[in-house]
Amino acid sequence: MKENSLVHLDNVNMIFYRPDDALHVLYNISMNLHEGEILGLLGPSGSGKSTILNIVAGLLAPSSGQVECHGQIGYMFQRDHLLDWRNIYDNIMLGLEIQKNITPQSEAKVERLLKSYDLWDFRRHFPKELSGGMRQRVALIRTLAIDPDILLLDEPFSSLDYQTRLLVSNDIYKIIKQENKSTIMVTHDISEAIGMCDTIYVLSKRPTNVKAIHSINLTTADEKTPLTARKAPEYQHYFDLIWKEMMQYEGK
Amino acid sequence: MKESELSQEHRRYLAQLRRNKRKILFWQIASIIVFLLLWEIGAKTKIIDTFLFSCPSAIWQLFLVYLENGEIFMHIGISVWETILGFVIGTILGILAAVILWWNETLAKICDPLLVILNALPKTALAPILIVWVGAGIEGIVAVAIFISVVVTIMSAYNYFITVDEDKITMLKSFGANKWQILTKLILPANVGNLINILKINVGMSWVGVIVGEFLVSRYGIGYLIVYGGQVFRLDLVMMGVFVLAVCAWLMYAAINFLEKQITRQLFH
Ligand SMILES: Nc1ncnc2c1ncn2[C@@H]1O[C@H](COP(=O)(O)OP(=O)(O)OP(=O)(O)O)[C@@H](O)[C@H]1O
Ligand SMILES: [Mg+2]
């Protein structure tokens, strides 16, 4: 295992058994997540991206292979899963409540998160009064509140329209970098992956294997964000490269 | 916001709402009065056979008699008490059982055929057996009320519990939640509205149990008044029993509605 890797998968296989057949989803997946890195998983639908995250989070045991995970995990799902009957503040406290870890420090942290991400004024509101983008940010703060070392994001923006998605991904990128979290992010969107990730794993279709690993190095005038990334000279190159790889698996 | 601060338009809208509400209330009361009047006139002019249908004034007279000698309070008191007992015990037992079934999926599968049969069966058919087993007093009647509400409660509460979004459970598990936390932080609060609906249904169910039980064995209670009136062909007594019953059931239903408002206000201030 490499020195500074927080998550380490070694030849992980996952087979789902059903009464009349077996579904071989993951085939010898190996992966390393380093400290402070945003790792992107790109792959066709049904290739097992969510399954990988579930294995990393310890919600599923792999059929074979090794999983090592160093640190507390924060898992943000495709949908925000806010609880309608709790206000924003109580939704955010959910994880701390479950872990019986509500302390003056954790409360102060939540307060700081709420304030810096423009949700403080809404803390007594209920989820149904918030827009999709705000709900997504609440879900992220709920995940960050337990102070995880490793963030797992499963298509965190897929429920948003294109413009909101750009803005929210920009916000969330900044949050992740500010809080210096190591992250594994699943996405369908190549531009989003290039804009946000330091490393991109391209997955094949089932049984899923890692087809390519790209380190993303972009030259941006200002700080790199998903929005400025699009103007980087290398952007198109990465896009075409990954597009071609994806086309090999998508729909065939 | 005070009404004086609202716009002209908004105030007109509110006035319209109030006018509509008053109109509906007016027609509700008017239709009852017209109905009672027609009944009374029909009876006086012998268009309606008072032997079979009685008439409002006779029912009222009888009610006054029962009110004066205080007997009506005893009958109401006993029936209401039986219903409340059946309702409370049946609901609590039913919800507890549903929680246990949710907790243990295998047990739920084992019990499934039994529950399906019990649910399909007209539960009043078992009332005589229950009364023989438990006793021919209040105990037996309450047992019938409990039985009728408990089966419905188990079935519907369990079905509500298992339809809670699986992904939300995964979300809680990702924070390391145990089963008890999943139950108390997700399954139960997600179903507050549904549980209140079960309460509303159970008020009716318990009344069915109590009335059937009283038909079978009792010497007191509204059900007893009705069945006794029927046996001696005193239709005014039967009708009075039915009206008193309707009022009691309605009041209990209103109490649950009030409770519902309080709870929703607590939850979403
Ligand atoms: N618990 C399970 N039991 C059986 N099969 C499962 C289970 N979880 C996932 N699968 C199957 O494994 C395959 C991969 O599922 P997964 O959700 O990981 O894919 P995905 O890459 O996240 O897809 P998408 O992009 O659509 O979200 C699917 O065919 C799914 O039906
Ligand atoms: Mg998925």
Side-chain angles (χ1 to χ4, degrees):
Chain A
M1 189 184 127
K2 287 191 194 161
E3 291 284 294
N4 56 347
S5 80
L6 286 174
V7 174
H8 175 70
L9 300 189
D10 188 22
N11 282 313
V12 164
N13 279 272
M14 187 74 217
I15 304 167
F16 288 115
Y17 293 99
R18 289 183 289 209
D20 39 1
D21 64 345
L23 191 67
H24 201 149
V25 177
L26 303 181
Y27 176 71
N28 286 347
I29 297 273
S30 296
M31 183 175 293
N32 275 298
L33 174 71
H34 305 101
E35 199 159 348
E37 177 184 37
I38 301 183
L39 187 160
L41 292 182
L42 265 176
S45 188
S47 57
K49 303 179 295 291
S50 302
T51 305
I52 294 179
L53 294 193
N54 287 339
I55 288 174
V56 171
L59 296 169
L60 265 180
S63 307
S64 70
Q66 282 214 320
V67 182
E68 282 178 49
C69 218
H70 302 275
Q72 161 97 274
I73 287 195
Y75 196 159
M76 180 176 165
F77 297 83
Q78 190 161 342
R79 288 184 291 143
D80 56 57
H81 294 312
L82 299 183
L83 305 181
D84 297 334
W85 57 89
R86 285 171 169 247
N87 64 27
I88 298 310
Y89 187 78
D90 292 340
N91 260 295
I92 287 172
M93 296 304 279
L94 183 68
L96 290 166
E97 223 175 282
I98 287 172
Q99 301 179 354
K100 302 201 170 65
N101 204 8
I102 300 181
T103 59
Q105 289 95 303
S106 64
E107 281 174 329
K109 181 186 163 79
V110 166
E111 185 176 331
R112 180 176 64 77
L113 286 168
L114 276 169
K115 279 184 176 149
S116 42
Y117 308 122
D118 297 331
L119 285 162
W120 181 248
D121 295 335
F122 291 90
R123 67 191 185 284
R124 299 269 166 253
H125 287 234
F126 285 88
K128 60 174 185 290
E129 302 166 64
L130 267 58
S131 70
M134 290 166 95
R135 294 176 62 119
Q136 217 69 26
R137 269 181 289 160
V138 173
L140 180 68
I141 296 178
R142 177 183 61 197
T143 312
L144 291 173
I146 57 169
D147 210 359
D149 310 298
I150 302 156
L151 269 183
L152 307 179
L153 309 181
D154 195 351
E155 305 195 39
F157 317 120
S158 57
S159 60
L160 307 176
D161 63 78
Y162 186 71
Q163 210 152 1
T164 320
R165 184 178 176 133
L166 273 182
L167 294 173
V168 174
S169 66
N170 213 50
D171 279 352
I172 288 189
Y173 177 83
K174 281 188 208 150
I175 298 174
I176 294 171
K177 284 297 176 189
Q178 255 165 50
E179 310 288 325
N180 191 32
K181 301 295 182 198
S182 316
T183 303
I184 301 180
M185 184 177 97
V186 168
T187 171
H188 263 117
D189 183 330
I190 299 176
S191 330
E192 193 171 274
I194 300 172
M196 289 186 75
C197 301
D198 304 302
T199 312
I200 295 177
Y201 279 57
V202 180
L203 304 175
S204 71
K205 65 176 186 185
R206 280 198 313 265
T208 303
N209 194 248
V210 178
K211 276 299 155 198
I213 304 176
H214 302 281
S215 290
I216 307 293
N217 294 301
L218 299 176
T219 340
T220 47
D222 311 314
E223 202 185 343
K224 177 194 164 182
T225 68
L227 285 176
T228 60
R230 282 156 207 263
K231 301 194 195 81
E234 302 90 344
Y235 175 84
Q236 199 58 41
H237 160 71
Y238 283 122
F239 190 96
D240 293 340
L241 190 66
I242 297 172
W243 175 267
K244 246 182 246 151
E245 285 168 356
M246 297 280 292
M247 283 310 281
Q248 280 179 268
Y249 309 112
E250 205 69 71
K252 280 170 206 160
Chain B
M1 217 171 353
K2 281 207 201 85
E3 194 161 343
S4 53
E5 297 166 23
L6 295 175
S7 73
Q8 192 81 46
E9 206 98 341
H10 201 158
R11 251 180 294 170
R12 215 172 310 141
Y13 163 78
L14 286 180
Q16 178 70 37
L17 272 188
R18 269 195 295 265
R19 219 170 312 134
N20 263 338
K21 227 174 165 179
R22 247 177 290 148
K23 196 166 82 185
I24 286 170
L25 187 66
F26 170 79
W27 282 112
Q28 284 173 333
I29 294 172
S31 55
I32 292 175
I33 292 175
V34 168
F35 171 73
L36 291 176
L37 270 179
L38 284 179
W39 186 0
E40 185 70 32
I41 293 168
K44 286 277 177 314
T45 55
K46 305 261 190 292
I47 297 173
I48 294 172
D49 185 352
T50 49
F51 181 69
L52 291 181
F53 295 100
S54 187
C55 70
S57 60
I59 297 170
W60 178 249
Q61 286 303 325
L62 186 69
F63 179 66
L64 288 182
V65 171
Y66 270 83
L67 204 61
E68 241 158 75
N69 63 22
E71 222 180 291
I72 195 71
F73 297 114
M74 180 192 68
H75 292 296
I76 291 178
I78 285 178
S79 291
V80 166
W81 176 236
E82 289 164 346
T83 307
I84 290 177
L85 275 182
F87 168 75
V88 170
I89 299 174
T91 308
I92 292 175
L93 280 184
I95 291 175
L96 268 182
V99 166
I100 290 170
L101 293 183
W102 171 82
W103 198 284
N104 190 333
E105 208 177 316
T106 315
L107 184 66
K109 285 197 177 123
I110 293 172
C111 296
D112 184 59
L114 176 71
L115 282 172
V116 169
I117 291 171
L118 281 181
N119 199 40
L121 190 80
K123 280 155 282 291
T124 47
L126 294 184
I129 311 178
L130 276 175
I131 286 175
V132 169
W133 285 345
V134 181
I138 286 193
E139 339 64 275
I141 295 170
V142 172
V144 176
I146 293 174
F147 177 67
I148 291 182
S149 48
V150 91
V151 176
V152 179
T153 308
I154 296 175
M155 288 291 279
S156 42
Y158 175 69
N159 280 318
Y160 286 134
F161 290 172
I162 57 173
T163 43
V164 168
D165 189 355
E166 199 69 35
D167 294 346
K168 285 210 165 75
I169 297 179
T170 312
M171 185 268 289
L172 287 197
K173 280 186 183 159
S174 80
F175 286 119
N178 58 33
K179 205 145 189 176
W180 175 250
Q181 288 173 320
I182 294 173
L183 178 71
T184 53
K185 295 196 191 298
L186 177 63
I187 305 293
L188 292 180
N191 283 301
V192 168
N194 292 329
L195 292 175
I196 289 174
N197 275 335
I198 290 178
L199 294 187
K200 287 183 185 171
I201 293 168
N202 277 354
V203 170
M205 290 294 163
S206 308
W207 274 110
V208 171
V210 165
I211 297 300
V212 167
E214 288 181 348
F215 279 3
L216 289 173
V217 287
S218 109
R219 305 270 103 221
Y220 326 93
I222 303 172
Y224 163 74
L225 283 185
I226 293 173
V227 83
Y228 173 74
Q231 279 162 358
V232 298
F233 282 98
R234 290 267 316 273
L235 268 297
D236 49 349
L237 186 54
V238 175
M239 293 290 185
M240 184 192 80
V242 171
F243 278 119
V244 169
L245 179 59
V247 170
C248 291
W250 175 70
L251 281 177
M252 277 176 84
Y253 192 82
I256 303 282
N257 262 338
F258 177 75
L259 185 77
E260 177 178 22
K261 288 226 175 72
Q262 295 302 308
I263 289 176
T264 17
R265 185 163 329 146
Q266 281 275 305
L267 283 179
F268 303 98
H269 3 260

